[in-house]
Amino acid sequence: MLECAPNFRDLGGLIGDRGRRVRPGLVFRSDAVLRPTEADIAYLRECRIGVVMDLRSSSEAADDGNEHFRENGAELFQLNVGTDVRAKGSFWEKLASDSSPQTVRDLLHSIYRSIPMAVAPALQIVFERIEAGSPPILIHCAAGKDRTGVAVALLLHALGSSMDGIMKDYLETQNRLTQASITRNTETLAAIVGEPLHPESLSLLSGVRRDFLKQSFSWMDRKYDGADGFLESCAGLTNQRKAAIRRALLEPE
């Protein structure tokens, strides 16, 4: 764990196709890596991250633009995905008019139905880079939970992970919430909405829930007959490419 980004983690060790584990040190997921400490910098150097997939909106990235990775020569992709609860837009307008727990849950369900299509361009780049023998890749957004959560869930699906395994990794974010991040969210959301949020609304906005990710997969089931159809149609994941990324990221049988 990074001190500056408590949701930073290696996908290594997660189980993919036919019980093979993801090889460590190849794909990482995280919240935004802002103002890393000296210890953080030392650890990140060991990770040798060479490609950074930034799923934040352009307004979010403008405030903190991945200076550490830029200074260390990583290739940066800023995808301008604005479907996270921290991205500005109509979500906040709806929340300001009604921040009840049920409204918040409904809004988040709607967001999660939109995230797969929003992150598809990033996934296509990730698949292409892995197939071509990319250096270690980092996928991140602001909190590393919504946009990153769905993108990584789809990558794990492509690697043959079970839904139970995918959900377990997604829900791990809940264990990485810190008091500092909760306090920051409380203050930020209260300022935007104009009043303190109901505790359950705050909990929904700050964390992850099983039903959130299920919305993404249910949407793909309805629109594309499943995640496989979605990844092939929208992220260029042909059978040949799927086999290639499994060879690249999974341990041998």
Side-chain angles (χ1 to χ4, degrees):
M1 180 186 296
L2 297 178
E3 184 177 340
C4 72
N7 207 11
F8 182 97
R9 57 192 192 265
D10 188 345
L11 298 190
L14 299 180
I15 297 175
D17 180 52
R18 296 197 294 275
R20 292 179 290 169
R21 294 186 180 275
V22 178
R23 294 163 55 200
L26 296 180
V27 183
F28 301 85
R29 58 171 295 174
S30 185
D31 40 351
V33 178
L34 310 176
R35 295 174 291 280
T37 66
E38 289 187 9
D40 291 340
I41 291 171
Y43 179 70
L44 287 169
R45 284 175 179 156
E46 293 178 4
C47 294
R48 300 178 297 104
I49 292 167
V51 176
V52 177
M53 307 301 300
D54 185 350
L55 305 183
R56 295 175 298 170
S57 67
S58 55
S59 60
E60 294 169 289
D63 295 331
D64 293 284
N66 277 318
E67 283 79 5
H68 167 80
F69 296 108
R70 193 182 307 278
E71 291 170 0
N72 284 273
E75 185 178 19
L76 303 180
F77 292 89
Q78 208 281 303
L79 279 299
N80 191 27
V81 179
T83 53
D84 186 78
V85 297
R86 286 163 178 73
K88 299 175 182 177
S90 61
F91 177 92
W92 293 115
E93 297 167 6
K94 294 176 182 176
L95 191 63
S97 64
D98 182 1
S99 60
S100 65
Q102 187 57 54
T103 295
V104 169
R105 186 181 294 275
D106 290 345
L107 286 170
L108 286 167
H109 281 184
S110 177
I111 284 175
Y112 268 80
R113 290 192 292 271
S114 73
I115 291 178
M117 189 63 75
V119 300
L123 286 168
Q124 182 158 356
I125 295 170
V126 169
F127 296 149
E128 290 171 352
R129 289 309 169 97
I130 292 171
E131 184 180 25
S134 171
I137 295 173
L138 170 66
I139 302 171
H140 84 89
C141 55
K145 68 185 189 71
D146 301 317
R147 293 165 287 191
T148 298
V150 174
V152 170
L154 287 168
L155 173 58
L156 291 173
H157 179 86
L159 293 176
S161 298
S162 68
M163 194 63 217
D164 285 346
I166 291 169
M167 189 64 74
K168 183 177 180 180
D169 176 67
Y170 170 75
L171 293 175
E172 171 61 22
T173 289
Q174 196 68 27
N175 299 325
R176 292 170 178 262
L177 295 176
T178 64
Q179 188 56 53
S181 66
I182 293 172
T183 299
R184 185 166 57 249
N185 282 343
T186 301
E187 295 172 349
T188 300
L189 291 167
I192 291 172
V193 176
E195 61 182 15
L197 269 71
H198 186 285
E200 178 60 18
S201 295
L202 178 62
S203 178
L204 289 165
L205 288 165
S206 298
V208 292
R209 299 288 190 276
R210 188 178 298 270
D211 56 295
F212 295 174
L213 187 60
K214 284 184 175 180
Q215 290 293 319
S216 297
F217 279 84
S218 295
W219 178 84
M220 289 183 285
D221 289 342
R222 292 193 302 273
K223 297 292 186 179
Y224 293 91
D225 198 26
D228 287 330
F230 171 78
L231 288 171
E232 182 175 3
S233 297
C234 301
L237 188 66
T238 62
N239 287 334
Q240 179 179 349
R241 180 163 287 164
K242 183 189 295 183
I245 68 169
R246 290 182 179 185
R247 285 194 300 271
L249 295 187
L250 299 178
E251 295 175 341
E253 293 186 76

